[in-house]
């Protein structure tokens, strides 16, 4: 998904419609940023501009700060690697299958990109994953397939963060995180012996990143 043209909602920076050369430059910057941050989450804007074969002034015209650039990379990763899987997940007849597809997509992508969270992450970006996933949980509850005491609004982000927390314990090529995804899926679908404690409001975990 090229998605570079004109959407301030993707990159969080309000810009007019990009000329063709500006669009190409943005694509080069995002590709270079994705590669650089995969190797070093603290790569500088100068390093990324150099890797893209562009001057730092060109980078800053599109991404005024390094934070804007990192958020742009995260949005690009989401748009190309996660969003298509979410669309497929929501189309699944069995919401449990859809929920597994959704979590697998973000886990697989996070493991491959190796960008430490919460580097570049915002609650707005996370919500793009949480909305479809919460709807899948609601469907599962309505169909009697998922435990009724889940709070789709408050529990989904915490479930995601729980799963992401295991990634640093695996090598880059490992798919060992699937074991813990299956444990979580079983916990969501088993008939509970006791109701869960109340779900508390979400405190933005990314605001100090």
């Amino acid at each position: 998904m090229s998605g570079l043209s004109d959407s301030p909602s993707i990159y969080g920076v309000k810009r007019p419609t990009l000329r063709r050369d500006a669009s190409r430059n943005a694509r080069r910057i995002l590709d270079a940023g994705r590669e650089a941050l995969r190797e070093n989450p603290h790569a500088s804007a100068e390093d990324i501009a150099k890797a893209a074969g562009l001057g730092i002034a060109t980078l800053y015209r599109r991404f005024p700060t390094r934070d804007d650039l990192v958020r742009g990379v995260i949005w690009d990763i989401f748009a190309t690697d996660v969003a298509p899987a979410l669309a497929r997940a929501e189309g699944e007849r069995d919401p449990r299958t859809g929920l597994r597809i959704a979590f697998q997509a973000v886990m697989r992508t996070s493991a491959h990109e190796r960008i430490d969270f919460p580097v570049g992450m915002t609650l707005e970006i996370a919500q793009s994953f949480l909305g479809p996933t919460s709807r899948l949980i609601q469907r599962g509850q309505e169909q009697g397939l998922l435990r009724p005491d889940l709070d789709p609004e408050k529990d989904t982000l915490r479930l995601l963060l729980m799963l992401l927390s295991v990634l640093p314990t695996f090598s880059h090529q490992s798919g060992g995180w699937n074991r813990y995804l299956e444990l979580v899926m079983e916990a969501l679908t088993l008939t509970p012996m006791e109701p869960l404690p109340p779900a508390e409001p979400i405190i933005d975990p990314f605001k100090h990143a």
Side-chain angles (χ1 to χ4, degrees):
M1 176 176 178
S2 59
L4 292 176
S5 56
D6 327 307
S7 175
S9 65
I10 292 181
Y11 300 117
V13 182
K14 292 184 178 179
R15 291 289 167 184
T17 300
L18 295 179
R19 303 185 312 273
R20 185 173 299 177
D21 59 338
S23 182
R24 284 198 301 267
N25 286 343
R27 181 72 267 160
R28 289 167 65 181
I29 292 167
L30 289 171
D31 289 344
R34 190 164 175 167
E35 181 66 28
L37 292 171
R38 187 182 298 146
E39 298 302 321
N40 175 17
H42 305 291
S44 69
E46 289 78 7
D47 291 337
I48 293 169
K50 183 178 180 181
L54 299 168
I56 190 64
T58 300
L59 184 149
Y60 281 137
R61 276 196 297 272
R62 179 56 179 149
F63 302 99
T65 69
R66 183 185 180 278
D67 286 345
D68 292 324
L69 172 58
V70 175
R71 281 192 292 270
V73 170
I74 298 295
W75 272 120
D76 192 56
I77 290 170
F78 177 85
T80 57
D81 295 6
V82 179
L86 291 178
R88 187 170 73 254
E90 287 204 277
E92 288 288 334
R93 179 175 300 177
D94 188 329
R96 294 169 299 183
T97 302
L99 193 59
R100 182 178 283 103
I101 289 171
F103 279 125
Q104 282 176 336
V106 75
M107 293 291 286
R108 186 181 298 109
T109 299
S110 298
H112 177 260
E113 294 299 333
R114 293 184 290 179
I115 297 177
D116 294 339
F117 289 96
V119 173
M121 182 57 70
T122 67
L123 191 59
E124 179 188 6
I125 297 172
Q127 286 291 353
S128 297
F129 172 83
L130 300 177
T133 310
S134 296
R135 289 193 291 272
L136 287 165
I137 291 177
Q138 289 174 328
R139 280 177 48 202
Q141 291 174 314
E142 291 165 2
Q143 296 176 27
L145 300 173
L146 296 177
R147 53 186 303 159
D149 53 354
L150 288 171
D151 186 315
E153 179 181 348
K154 297 172 184 174
D155 288 335
T156 307
L157 175 61
R158 290 175 172 133
L159 289 169
L160 174 62
L161 293 175
M162 284 169 54
L163 287 167
L164 289 173
S165 71
V166 307
L167 291 180
T169 69
F170 294 106
S171 65
H172 173 48
Q173 300 297 331
S174 173
W177 49 265
N178 276 292
R179 173 183 176 89
Y180 301 93
L181 174 56
E182 290 307 313
L183 284 171
V184 168
M185 288 299 302
E186 286 193 15
L188 299 183
T189 57
L190 289 176
T191 302
M193 295 178 65
E194 297 289 341
L196 293 170
E200 296 189 5
I202 293 290
I203 301 299
D204 186 349
F206 310 114
K207 63 182 178 180
H208 299 302

